[in-house]
Every structure is written in structure tokens, then in C-alpha cells.
Amino acid sequence: MNALTPAPAVLLDTLPTHSGLHWGVATLNAPAALNALSPAMVETLATQLARWAVDPGVAGVLLQASGDKAFCAGGDIRQIYQEIGGDNHRQPNAAVQSFFSSQYALDYAIHTYPKPLLCWGHGIVMGGGLGLMAGASHRVVTPGSRLAMPEIGIGLYPDVGGSWFLRRMPGRVGLFLALTGAPLNAADALFCGLADHALPHADKAAVLQAMAGGPWTRDAPHNRASLSRLLGQQAAAAVPTSPVRAHFDQIQQLMAGEDLQDIDTRLRALQTDDSWLANAAATYAQGCPTSAALAHALWQRCLHLSLADVFRLEYTVSLGCCAHPNFGEGVRALLVDKDRKPRWSPARLAEVTPAWLQAHFEPRHAGAHPLASLV
């Protein structure tokens, strides 16, 4: 590779082990963009994960990222914004449909991967990055990890399987996170079930060295158990206290009931000296009312759906968001004009009608569902 050739956005390598098997290593390699997922990155990951899944010489997969700032800050929403015509929204085209279907298929493949898959989630892990991490069999956070599903601020909703994993958090914490985009630290991630181990980022090389000497076989359940033991034997990181755990009872009270308008009233009336809670309530108040309504509707609809059905439903709703004005407006305000003054339509939750909400759930694909093969 010469100096004029750009480095691949995903680096592919292997980690040899003393057992004679090796680990596949995929490294997100767009640190300047906080490793935001592009369609090319999704395609590369999906293709290589499928190959490693059937390679008898591969014991498992390590998914990591270049740079110290972010594992992955989300999907490349600026590209989607351009594809849907910016804030002059139009019906989602083939490129947009392909992006969502390919990304969700990749996330599903990680959730159902037949071999152990270790995700090292250091730094920013948001949106599409959390979609990659949530389904991994072994998830590591560090004291520098910062996780969030901040879609309410861009007129979207917590997709990439968020409708599945947020619903499975303790109590009604997942609904609170969906509505407020509140950030999580490493202790929060452990409490909410988004991580399995908190390790010092400085110890990563030692972890890889231990993996190189691990007792790997061709038996996937054995390897999953061995990896769990290996990670459990590492020195745990000292992590800050968990705001989610500390405020769990208050979060339950704020999110109580089945009427979103009641929740809205409580969030807007919240008086607190705690900066984490105050910022969460402020983010909700400034967020997109349609996004709040969508997140709440998905919370109610997805409880008994299979993981595959959740991804199929999210695909439909994501295209619905692209066909309506708020997603384009949210990206404009955050990333294009950067005025941080989105003009939501409707501007208030009380103005989000059932018909407006249901329009986001209408299918926008011809023929079989693009994710029909997920089982």
C-alpha cells in the first residue's frame, strides 16, 4: 500500500494460538470518523464473519477498533441524509434500503454467531456501534467506555436491535434510555446487561496474549466457556459508580404506566440536583416528539416478538423515518448546519396523532421482506 492508497476501513487479521487454531480479528479503522459504520464497512464485516463462522481453523472472533476515542459512534447518518435528499425528504431509495437491511442482517448475525465473538468496546459506543456490541457473546467495556442510544436527538429511534435489548434491561430502564439518550458508563453497561466484563484498556495486550495461549478446540461451547474463564481471570477495572443503579427507583417512577403523555409530564416536571438525571430530562425535552412516540410504541409492541421479527419491524420503521421529515431535520441541525436547533414536525407530543405514528409502520418494500431469511 503506497502513501496515496487509503487504508481499508476494516482491517482483517488473525491471532495465532498455541492450540493450532486462530482467532479472526476485525478492526474498525476509521478513527477520524469515530469508526462510524459505512455501507462498505458493513459489507466487509458481514462477508468476513460468514467466512470465519464456517472455517474449522477459527476458534472465535475479536471485534475491535482503531484509535482510543471510539469503538464506533454509530452508522454513517450523513450518507443516509444525502441519499434521502437532505431535509427535502423523499421516499427511501435502494441505497437506503440496502444500508438498513445489510446493517440489521449483520447485527442479527452477531447475535446468533455460532462461535465466541469478543467485542472490545472502548471509548464511544453509540447507536450502530451498540448494535455491533450488544449481540456479541463476550462484551468488554473499559473505564473509558461511554455508551448511548441518542437517536431521539436526530429524529430517529433506538434501532439496530435496540427495541430488543432495551426491552430486556432491568425494570423500565430501557424505556428511559430510549427517551432520554442518557449516556452509560462501564458500571451502567454491566448493570444493564450490555457488557460482561470491565477491564482496563491498558491491559488489552495482556488479554490478547492470554488468548494466544488459550485452550481452544473446535467445540464452540467449550471455547465460549474458556473465553469467559479467561476474561474473568483478568484484573477487573476500577469503574465509577452507576448512575442507572443509583437512580433505579426514580427511573421506575418516571417511566411508570402505559401512557406516554404521563411520562412526558413527569420528565418535564423533574426537579433534581443530579446532573446526569437533569441532562437526561433536558435531552428528552429538546428531542423529537415523534421519536419519543416511536420508541414508546416499539417498547409496547416488541415484548413478545422474536429477535428476527424485531429487526424486520425496525427495518420498516427506519424507512418510515426516512420518508418523514424529522430524521432529515435532525441530521441537518446536528451535522450539516450544526445550529442544534431542529424544527420538529409535529413540535409537541400532544400533536403526534395515531395516524402520523402508524404511517411510520407502513411497509415500504415490494415483494418479500428484505430480512425474510432471518429465523
Side-chain angles (χ1 to χ4, degrees), residues 332-346:
R332 178 206 65 77
L334 181 66
L335 297 178
V336 181
D337 296 340
K338 300 182 180 180
D339 57 23
R340 295 185 178 271
K341 296 180 179 178
R343 298 179 292 273
W344 304 125
S345 177

Side-chain angles (χ1 to χ4, degrees), residues 83-370:
E83 291 288 352
I84 62 175
D87 49 1
N88 298 313
H89 61 97
R90 57 172 182 253
Q91 289 298 314
N93 59 22
V96 174
Q97 294 173 357
S98 176
F99 177 81
F100 284 114
S101 62
S102 298
Q103 185 179 18
Y104 296 172
L106 171 61
D107 294 334
Y108 182 81
I110 292 174
H111 275 271
T112 58
Y113 204 64
K115 298 179 179 180
L117 196 156
L118 168 59
C119 180
W120 192 275
H122 173 68
I124 296 170
V125 188
M126 294 186 180
L130 205 48
L132 293 178
M133 182 176 172
S137 63
H138 297 73
R139 301 157 301 176
V140 171
V141 288
T142 75
S145 296
R146 183 173 182 269
L147 295 73
M149 295 297 283
E151 290 81 3
I152 193 166
I154 56 168
L156 198 57
Y157 68 97
D159 63 330
V160 295
S163 305
W164 169 271
F165 59 75
L166 291 174
R167 197 62 168 93
R168 283 155 179 79
M169 290 180 178
R172 301 174 77 85
V173 166
L175 180 58
F176 176 82
L177 298 178
L179 295 178
T180 66
L184 305 177
N185 63 24
D188 291 322
L190 293 171
F191 178 72
C192 292
L194 289 176
D196 307 294
H197 303 272
L199 302 177
H201 188 53
D203 289 357
K204 184 179 179 183
V207 173
L208 297 184
Q209 184 176 5
M211 289 172 62
W216 314 115
T217 71
R218 295 178 187 241
D219 181 68
H222 170 274
N223 290 339
R224 280 194 287 270
S226 295
L227 181 59
S228 293
R229 281 191 291 269
L230 184 154
L231 294 172
Q233 291 166 359
Q234 306 301 310
V239 297
T241 58
S242 163
V244 172
R245 185 190 287 268
H247 300 298
F248 181 79
D249 290 343
Q250 188 168 8
I251 289 172
Q252 295 300 99
Q253 294 168 1
L254 288 168
M255 298 293 108
E258 297 303 317
D259 191 324
L260 180 58
Q261 191 63 62
D262 292 342
I263 295 172
D264 175 271
T265 299
R266 288 192 290 268
L267 280 174
R268 292 180 182 275
L270 179 64
Q271 299 291 320
T272 178
D273 293 330
D274 182 86
S275 60
W276 185 83
L277 271 180
N279 289 337
T283 299
Y284 170 78
Q286 297 162 8
C288 176
T290 300
S291 294
L294 285 172
H296 186 257
L298 287 162
W299 172 267
Q300 293 178 316
R301 296 188 188 200
C302 289
L303 177 60
H304 299 296
L305 294 184
S306 69
L307 177 62
D309 284 338
V310 166
F311 276 116
R312 282 189 278 267
L313 181 58
E314 287 188 347
Y315 173 84
T316 296
V317 177
S318 293
L319 293 190
C321 288
C322 291
H324 287 79
N326 287 311
F327 178 47
E329 173 60 14
V331 177
R332 178 206 65 77
L334 181 66
L335 297 178
V336 181
D337 296 340
K338 300 182 180 180
D339 57 23
R340 295 185 178 271
K341 296 180 179 178
R343 298 179 292 273
W344 304 125
S345 177
R348 298 170 58 247
L349 180 63
E351 297 168 353
V352 179
T353 65
W356 175 260
L357 188 65
Q358 182 57 34
H360 290 71
F361 287 85
E362 297 300 327
R364 288 176 169 81
H365 61 270
H369 196 291

